[in-house]
C-alpha cells in the first residue's frame, strides 16, 4: 500500500494514523479533518474542559509538529463522496485524494431534539469543541438548567452545572438514569448522588416544547404538564452514526457501516471503525454492535493499522468505558446486555461499589464506582471466558481483586 486516506480525525482516525507509523508503514497517510482545530479528545468536553480545569491545548492528541514529524498530512477538508471504482475520496473543496485503502472514521452526530423551540438560543447538544466553547460562558451565568436525557453525557453535564451553582432539572423518558447501559443498582447509586448534589430528576417525562423569548430559550414544557424555567437547555438523547458517505457509495449499512471481524466494510478497500462502525462483537454474541467509547475507537484503530501493515487479526478486544460525574467515577468492563443476575460488592454508603452482572452463571460485565482495583481485575478476568459464578461472588469475604480463575 502506498496511500492510506482516513476520513475523520477524531479518536479513531487519529489512532489509525499513529498506529500505522508505529507499525512501520512508510507510505502516504492523509487524515481528513473537517473540524477547524487540531484533532482533539471529546471526553473532557463534558467534564474538565467545561469546568475550566484544562484548556483546549490539553485536549489535543498531539501538537501540530508531531503530524509533520510523522509525515501525517492533516487535510483541512471534508469527505464528500467516494469514487470506489477509481479509489478516490472526493472532498468538499473539489480536491480529491487517491487511495489504496480508505478508512472511514466519521463518528456520529447528536440525535436532534425534534420539538418546537429546539433551535432557540441557549439550547445545546454537546459533541464538539465548538459546542463546549459556546456553552461554557452561558454555564457560568446560568441559574436554571434543564438537561434532556439522563444518559452519560446528560448526567456528566448535570453534575457540572450543579457544581457551577445552577438549579438542575433532568428530564428522562425511562425510569432510571443510564438505563440502557448500567444495572438498576448502579443507576440507584448515581441517582442518589446527583440528588445530593441538588439535581432533580423527572423520569417517564419527555419534553414537548421549548419556549422562547427574543430567540432565546426561557422554559421547557414537560410532558407531565410542568413548565420549567430555564436559561440553559442541554440535550443528550443519543447519537446517529455519520454514514452518509458510505451510504451514497453503496456500502452495507446496519445501524452504522457494517464491517466484518477484521473491520473491513463490504468493499475490501474500505475499513470503518469507532462510533460509525457496526461490527460483530464477540462480547455481544457476535451480533452487529456499534459502541461509542474511546476504548473501542482506539483498539479498533490499532487493529486496522496492524492489518494494513500486514498483521491481520480478528477484533476481539474487551469493551470498557468510564464516565466522570461530580466526584464519582464509574468504570465498566464488558457489556451487560442480557444480564439477569447481579452481585453487589463493596460499600454503598461510601459510594464504593462494584456490580457484577451475570447472565445465568456467566459473568458479562463489572461496573465499578470508586473501586479502580476491581475494574482493572475485571478487565483481566473478562479478557478470557470467565469462570466466576454468582455463588462464588456472593460468598462472604469475596474480593474480585484477589480472585483467580
Ligand atoms: P469522533 O470522535 O466523533 O470523530 C469523528 C470525526 O469525523 C469528527 O471530527 C467529525 O467531524 C468527522 N467527520 C464526520 N464526517 C466527516 C466527513 N465526511 N469527512 C471528514 N470528517 C468527517 N467515551 C468514553 O469512553 N468515555 C467518556 O468519558 C466519554 N465522554 C464523552 C463526552 C462527550 C461530550 C462526547 C461527545 C463523547 C464522549 N465519549 C466518551 C465518546 C467518545 O468520545 C467517542 O466514542 C469517540 O470520540 C469516537 O471516536 P470516533 O473517531 O469514532 O468519532
Amino acid at each position: 500500500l502506498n496511500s492510506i486516506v482516513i476520513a475523520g480525525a477524531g479518536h479513531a482516525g487519529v489512532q489509525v494514523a499513529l498506529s500505522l507509523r508505529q507499525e512501520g508503514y512508510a507510505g502516504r497517510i492523509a487524515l481528513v479533518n473537517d473540524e477547524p482545530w487540531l484533532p482533539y479528545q471529546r471526553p473532557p468536553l463534558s467534564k474538565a474542559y467545561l469546568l475550566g480545569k484544562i484548556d483546549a491545548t490539553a485536549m489535543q492528541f498531539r501538537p501540530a509538529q508531531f503530524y509533520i514529524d510523522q509525515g501525517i498530512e492533516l487535510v483541512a477538508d471534508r469527505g464528500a463522496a467516494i469514487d470506489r471504482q477509481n479509489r478516490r475520496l472526493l472532498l468538499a473543496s473539489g480536491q480529491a485524494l487517491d487511495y489504496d485503502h480508505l478508512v472511514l472514521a466519521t463518528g456520529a452526530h447528536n440525535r436532534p431534539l425534534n420539538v418546537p423551540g429546539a433551535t432557540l438560543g441557549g439550547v445545546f447538544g454537546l459533541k464538539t469543541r465548538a459546542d463546549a466553547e459556546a456553552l461554557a460562558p452561558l454555564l457560568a451565568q446560568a441559574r436554571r438548567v434543564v438537561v434532556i436525557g439522563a444518559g452519560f453525557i446528560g448526567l456528566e453535564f448535570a453534575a457540572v452545572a450543579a457544581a457551577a451553582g445552577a438549579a438542575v432539572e433532568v428530564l428522562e423518558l425511562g425510569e432510571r438514569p443510564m438505563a440502557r447501559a448500567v444495572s438498576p443498582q448502579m443507576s440507584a447509586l448515581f441517582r442518589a448522588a446527583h440528588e445530593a448534589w441538588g439535581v432533580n430528576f423527572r423520569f417517564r417525562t419527555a419534553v414537548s416544547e421549548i419556549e422562547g423569548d427574543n430567540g432565546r430559550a426561557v422554559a421547557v414544557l414537560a410532558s407531565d404538564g410542568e413548565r420549567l424555567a430555564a436559561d440553559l437547555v442541554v440535550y443528550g438523547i443519543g447519537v446517529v452514526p455519520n454514514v452518509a458517505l458510505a451510504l451514497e457509495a453503496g456500502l452495507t449499512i446496519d445501524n452504522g457501516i457494517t464491517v466484518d471481524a477484521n473491520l473491513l466494510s463490504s468493499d475490501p478497500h474500505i475499513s470503518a471503525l469507532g462510533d460509525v462502525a457496526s461490527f460483530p462483537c464477540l462480547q455481544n454474541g457476535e451480533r452487529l454492535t456499534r459502541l461509542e467509547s474511546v476504548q473501542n475507537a482506539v483498539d479498533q484503530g490499532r487493529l486496522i493499522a496492524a492489518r494494513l501493515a500486514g498483521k491481520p487479526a480478528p477484533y476481539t478486544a474487551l469493551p470498557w468505558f468510564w464516565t466522570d460525574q461530580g466526584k464519582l467515577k464509574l468504570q465498566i468492563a464488558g457489556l451487560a446486555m442480557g444480564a439477569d443476575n447481579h452481585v453487589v460488592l463493596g460499600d454503598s454508603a461510601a459510594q464504593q461499589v462494584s456490580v457484577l452482572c451475570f447472565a445465568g452463571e456467566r459473568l458479562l460485565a463489572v461496573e465499578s464506582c470508586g473501586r479502580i482495583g476491581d475494574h482493572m481485575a475485571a478487565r483481566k478476568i473478562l479478557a478470557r471466558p470467565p469462570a466466576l459464578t454468582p455463588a462464588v461472588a456472593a460468598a462472604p469475604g469475596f474480593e474480585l481483586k484477589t480472585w483467580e480463575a
Side-chain angles (χ1 to χ4, degrees):
L1 300 178
N2 290 316
S3 176
I4 296 175
V5 172
I6 305 167
H11 256 282
V14 168
Q15 188 64 49
V16 173
L18 301 185
S19 293
L20 276 170
R21 289 296 182 232
Q22 281 160 3
E23 294 284 351
Y25 167 79
R28 179 180 192 196
I29 303 176
L31 180 58
V32 182
N33 178 17
D34 74 339
E35 295 193 62
W37 300 283
L38 279 176
Y40 64 94
Q41 317 182 29
R42 286 177 210 286
L45 293 177
S46 51
K47 311 178 183 74
Y49 185 63
L50 259 197
L51 285 163
K53 286 189 178 163
I54 63 166
D55 66 10
T57 320
M59 289 197 297
Q60 291 167 2
F61 292 107
R62 294 286 195 282
Q65 190 61 40
F66 176 87
Y67 298 95
I68 297 168
D69 293 346
Q70 292 286 308
I72 297 168
E73 293 168 45
L74 279 178
V75 181
D77 215 319
R78 183 175 171 77
I82 306 168
D83 175 354
R84 286 168 57 190
Q85 202 78 38
N86 297 302
R87 290 193 215 153
R88 308 186 90 189
L89 178 68
L90 312 178
L91 301 174
S93 65
Q95 312 270 80
L97 294 167
D98 290 321
Y99 64 81
D100 296 319
H101 199 86
L102 174 65
V103 178
L104 296 175
T106 49
H109 61 273
N110 285 326
R111 183 181 301 285
L113 190 62
N114 274 325
V115 298
T119 57
L120 287 164
V123 181
F124 291 91
L126 188 45
K127 183 75 185 172
T128 63
R129 185 175 148 187
D131 294 333
E133 285 183 357
L135 184 54
L138 299 180
L139 178 62
Q141 294 154 16
R143 297 183 47 213
R144 291 195 173 81
V145 171
V146 174
V147 176
I148 299 165
F152 294 119
I153 289 176
L155 290 189
E156 289 182 358
F157 178 74
V160 168
V168 184
E169 294 276 351
V170 178
L171 272 54
E172 163 60 45
L173 268 179
E175 311 214 327
R176 57 185 178 94
M178 304 179 284
R180 266 196 322 140
V182 310
S183 64
Q185 291 87 340
M186 196 53 84
S187 283
L189 187 155
F190 274 80
R191 175 180 178 171
H194 277 271
E195 287 173 344
W197 299 327
V199 173
N200 187 47
F201 288 100
R202 288 162 188 271
F203 294 107
R204 291 173 225 92
T205 307
V207 49
S208 33
E209 184 176 341
I210 302 174
E211 216 177 88
D213 183 25
N214 271 326
R216 297 202 58 81
V218 293
V220 171
L221 305 185
S223 58
D224 59 8
E226 287 281 327
R227 178 182 183 276
L228 306 167
D231 29 44
L232 186 57
V233 180
V234 171
Y235 62 92
I237 54 170
V239 300
V240 181
N242 292 324
V243 297
L245 265 183
L247 188 67
E248 280 161 31
L251 299 183
T252 306
I253 309 285
D254 182 351
N255 176 34
I257 303 169
T258 305
V259 293
D260 65 13
N262 292 297
L263 309 181
L264 269 175
S265 76
S266 52
D267 178 331
H269 301 291
I270 304 178
S271 301
L273 77 161
D275 280 17
V276 77
S278 235
F279 69 100
C281 178
L282 186 66
Q283 292 80 7
N284 190 22
E286 298 187 31
R287 280 183 284 273
L288 282 181
T289 306
R290 203 174 55 74
L291 297 177
E292 297 152 17
S293 73
V294 167
Q295 170 277 325
N296 182 63
V298 168
D299 284 342
Q300 293 193 337
R302 291 183 178 137
L303 188 107
I304 288 177
R307 163 165 48 78
L308 294 175
K311 288 178 263 174
Y315 185 73
T316 59
L318 179 78
W320 56 264
F321 183 78
W322 82 95
T323 170
D324 296 329
Q325 298 174 27
K327 293 184 199 73
L328 300 183
K329 179 183 278 293
L330 169 61
Q331 294 167 296
I332 305 173
L335 294 179
M337 277 100 110
D340 52 15
N341 190 359
H342 300 95
V343 175
V344 181
L345 304 177
D347 179 355
S348 296
Q351 298 175 318
Q352 291 177 342
V353 168
S354 286
V355 180
L356 281 56
C357 308
F358 292 90
E361 296 285 298
R362 197 159 57 89
L363 182 67
L364 297 180
V366 176
E367 304 163 349
S368 305
C369 176
R371 285 172 69 102
I372 292 171
D374 279 1
H375 174 68
M376 298 315 291
R379 277 165 55 179
K380 284 207 193 102
I381 292 168
L382 286 160
R384 281 169 281 129
L388 181 62
T389 60
V392 169
F398 174 78
E399 283 280 352
L400 193 62
K401 280 186 284 184
T402 50
W403 182 77
E404 300 259 354

